[in-house]
Amino acid sequence: MTASVQPEPGSLPAIEVRGLHKHYGRHEVLKGIDFHVAAGQVVCVIGPSGSGKSTLLRCVNRLEEPSAGEILIEGVDICDRKVDLDEVRSRIGMVFQQFNLFPHLSVLKNLTLAQRSVRGRGKDEAVRIARQNLAKVGLSEKESAYPAHLSGGQQQRVAIARALSMNPDMMLFDEPTSALDPELVGDVLGVMKDLAQEGMTMMVVTHEMGFAREVGDKLVFMDGGVVVEEGLPVDVLSNPQHERTQSFLSKVL
Amino acid sequence: MTRRERALLVQVSLYVVLAAAAITLALVADWSTIRQNFWNPDGVDWADGNWGDLIGTGLVNTVKYTAIAFAGGLALGLVLALMRLSPVAPYRWLATAYIEFFRGLPALVVMIFMSFGLPIAFGWTPPGGTIGAGLIGLIMVAGAYMAETLRAGIQAVPKGQTEAARSLGMRPGATTVKVVLPQAFRIVIPPLTNEFVLLIKDTALLFLLGAAASERELTSVARDFLSSGPSSGTATSLIQAALLYLIITLPLTQLVAWLERRQRKAVR
């Protein structure tokens, strides 16, 4: 039995994935995934490397093109040709393992570029929003620094602030702490925890079991391109039902 | 003899041979004749010598033509590079065909074709007369080379940069202009500077097309002074032109070396 958190009646799930397949040539990475994130929910996805969890996340804003299946963002199928994908993406914040800050721009410009070019905000408004978000991640004093002069943890917090500056409806995190030195992980997780407490809808691919247990509303375990088990984090982590989940958790916990 | 003594002996004898060769050359050479033919006092005189025309006309025009060819080649190269990376296959084929075609030809052939061939074949003369036609030819060839340099620069920008921009909702065009190209240009500054040095030297090919006196570049002016002017009948003006070329090209090649060292040190 898997316990699953039902979306609030009447409200559309923020993210709904139906029958998602993805293959590269003959290599099948996702073998029919059904997955959803309710509005305001924090869903963590765990699993061994090569399980397809990052591919699943990258399909949600179509950085990876699904081979088959449906991806609904707030009820709208984003694989529909009539949908303006760029508009949808501007409402989905994304945080990468390698930060991917723009190295030729200052921290402040990193945060204002898309606000101005996508949201059409004026300079003053974009700067004001950027500063609010920099303050939120605790890096106000770094606004004129360049990414190369920041630590990995600082870069990742700037990346989170950059995504937040678009006022997204939801956030995707692709192993946000995997490239960080251990002593820098805590700051980034702290920012993510604050976000979750503010009610942000979040999908987090992670290896941080502590974060998943403490902050997550739902935990999804993937292996071999399928969802093996999902449920309340405390249930999945403490009392895994499936043998593959047990063997994975015994290695990482 | 120990190994160290033997090494010392070899070194000393190498210096002795070098010194003997230098002394022999200095004694045998007829320095006054050499000076007369290669650094003629009348030719290198500051007031009445060749310098005025060499610098005022030749060097100025060389720099001007190089700047025009570089700017034109860069613009053409950028268009070709973007075509080569286009998702639309026919654009890629066209750009590839153009680049391979013009990289495989001597620049001189293209320049002669533009200035002589086009007017004969189509009755159409490119703007700017002979020099204009030659420069168009130079631009067509330089564009092909710069396209490859720019393409490599664009492809050296990590894929995550495009992904970050697109995931923020930026359109493909804005992503290219605001995120990818600024980083690509930084990467290609050293190879583009090299391209600039090559173009300085290639403008000498304009000499073969012929031009009015005021339009001549450095090599043409120097060639004129071989048979006329104060040092006529000597190679003095060519030596002077060589020095003027080096005054521009040497600092630039040093700059490239410095930029490349700095780039290698910079940690992303």
Side-chain angles (χ1 to χ4, degrees):
Chain A
M1 270 302 291
T2 55
S4 72
V5 182
Q6 292 301 316
E8 290 171 41
S11 78
L12 287 165
I15 302 168
E16 183 162 12
V17 172
R18 292 182 190 152
L20 176 64
H21 287 262
K22 172 70 187 176
H23 48 79
Y24 300 100
R26 301 184 63 183
H27 179 60
E28 198 167 23
V29 184
L30 297 176
K31 303 170 181 169
I33 302 278
D34 293 298
F35 174 88
H36 74 264
V37 180
Q41 224 181 14
V42 176
V43 176
C44 295
V45 183
I46 60 169
S49 59
S51 59
K53 55 193 191 302
S54 279
T55 307
L56 168 62
L57 180 127
R58 289 164 58 84
C59 281
V60 168
N61 68 355
R62 273 181 69 194
L63 278 186
E64 297 289 347
E65 204 59 41
S67 305
E70 289 181 328
I71 293 158
L72 285 77
I73 299 298
E74 291 164 344
V76 177
D77 184 356
I78 62 165
C79 297
D80 190 331
R81 281 176 166 276
K82 277 171 279 182
V83 170
D84 180 355
L85 183 60
D86 292 322
E87 191 278 326
V88 175
R89 280 173 171 165
S90 76
R91 289 187 280 120
I92 307 175
M94 179 146 183
V95 175
F96 299 86
Q97 184 177 350
Q98 298 296 339
F99 330 132
N100 294 350
L101 292 180
F102 305 132
H104 61 300
L105 299 177
S106 68
V107 165
L108 196 65
K109 284 260 171 66
N110 263 278
L111 270 61
T112 56
L113 178 65
Q115 288 194 66
R116 302 199 61 193
S117 122
V118 178
R119 286 271 181 273
R121 287 174 185 157
K123 190 178 177 201
D124 293 345
E125 189 189 5
V127 167
R128 185 176 54 77
I129 293 171
R131 288 193 172 133
Q132 278 172 10
N133 286 303
L134 272 184
K136 189 180 237 172
V137 300
L139 289 171
S140 293
E141 78 282 11
K142 296 289 187 190
E143 68 169 53
S144 50
Y146 280 80
H149 298 127
L150 302 178
S151 74
Q154 290 172 331
Q155 289 192 48
Q156 193 60 298
R157 280 145 69 199
V158 170
I160 293 171
R162 176 174 70 178
L164 290 176
S165 294
M166 300 296 285
N167 302 101
D169 298 340
M170 64 197 78
M171 293 276 287
L172 309 177
F173 293 85
D174 188 5
E175 303 199 27
T177 58
S178 297
L180 298 178
D181 291 335
E183 75 272 19
L184 302 175
V185 168
D187 288 342
V188 172
L189 291 181
V191 167
M192 290 168 64
K193 195 174 153 188
D194 292 347
L195 264 184
Q197 277 162 358
E198 286 169 23
M200 176 61 80
T201 307
M202 292 162 63
M203 174 178 176
V204 186
V205 170
T206 188
H207 295 290
E208 297 291 333
M209 301 303 158
F211 177 85
R213 181 194 296 267
E214 192 186 345
V215 181
D217 297 308
K218 183 168 83 169
L219 186 62
V220 174
F221 172 71
M222 284 181 69
D223 192 13
V226 296
V227 172
V228 175
E229 184 165 350
E230 62 182 303
L232 291 171
V234 61
D235 292 345
V236 177
L237 290 173
S238 320
N239 189 20
Q241 300 296 303
H242 204 285
E243 184 253 327
R244 277 196 282 178
T245 319
Q246 289 163 5
S247 110
F248 174 73
L249 289 175
S250 72
K251 281 176 210 150
V252 298
L253 285 180
Chain B
M1 233 174 15
T2 69
R3 180 179 294 201
R4 257 183 83 188
E5 283 167 340
R6 223 175 11 238
L8 191 69
L9 187 71
V10 169
Q11 277 226 336
V12 168
S13 45
L14 282 176
Y15 278 108
V16 167
V17 169
L18 186 67
I23 291 165
T24 314
L25 199 65
L27 291 176
V28 168
D30 178 355
W31 287 106
S32 68
T33 310
I34 289 176
R35 175 141 199 246
Q36 203 62 31
N37 284 326
F38 292 95
W39 198 251
N40 187 288
D42 296 330
V44 299
D45 186 80
W46 276 114
D48 307 318
N50 303 332
W51 292 114
D53 278 353
L54 280 173
I55 295 172
T57 307
L59 189 62
V60 165
N61 279 337
T62 286
V63 170
K64 191 167 94 184
Y65 298 153
T66 307
I68 292 171
F70 186 77
L74 191 61
L76 177 61
L78 185 58
V79 172
L80 287 168
L82 291 174
M83 280 172 72
R84 244 200 126 154
L85 297 170
S86 162
V88 184
Y91 280 126
R92 289 200 302 272
W93 301 334
L94 273 175
T96 307
Y98 180 98
I99 290 166
E100 294 304 323
F101 183 80
F102 281 99
R103 283 202 311 173
L105 292 179
L108 187 54
V109 170
V110 181
M111 291 164 76
I112 293 175
F113 181 82
M114 292 305 291
S115 65
F116 296 106
L118 272 190
I120 292 168
F122 301 106
W124 179 75
T125 313
T130 313
I131 292 289
L135 284 178
I136 291 175
L138 209 49
I139 286 170
M140 289 168 75
V141 175
Y145 281 96
M146 288 198 223
E148 283 298 273
T149 305
L150 289 168
R151 180 184 61 86
I154 291 169
Q155 287 181 323
V157 176
K159 199 162 152 264
Q161 291 292 310
T162 308
E163 289 184 349
R166 297 306 305 280
S167 75
L168 287 162
M170 289 174 68
R171 310 262 176 211
T175 302
T176 302
V177 172
K178 290 176 176 152
V179 174
V180 177
L181 286 184
Q183 297 183 56
F185 271 114
R186 245 164 247 213
I187 296 169
V188 298
I189 283 172
L192 280 186
T193 313
N194 266 332
E195 191 66 36
F196 191 84
V197 172
L198 291 177
L199 274 177
I200 291 172
K201 296 184 286 178
D202 279 351
T203 55
L205 295 170
L206 291 167
F207 159 67
L208 289 160
L209 303 184
S214 64
E215 290 180 344
R216 290 186 187 173
E217 45 66 55
L218 187 50
T219 301
S220 313
V221 175
R223 172 64 185 83
D224 289 347
F225 278 130
L226 291 182
S227 48
S228 64
S231 63
S232 134
T234 76
T236 306
S237 58
L238 279 184
I239 302 282
Q240 290 174 292
L243 281 176
L244 291 174
Y245 276 118
L246 288 172
I247 284 172
I248 307 183
T249 54
L250 279 184
L252 281 174
T253 50
Q254 293 307 302
L255 177 71
V256 171
W258 179 76
L259 285 170
E260 281 175 345
R261 271 200 307 276
R262 203 185 58 158
Q263 220 166 53
R264 228 172 294 135
K265 264 190 281 184
V267 184
R268 282 185 46 90

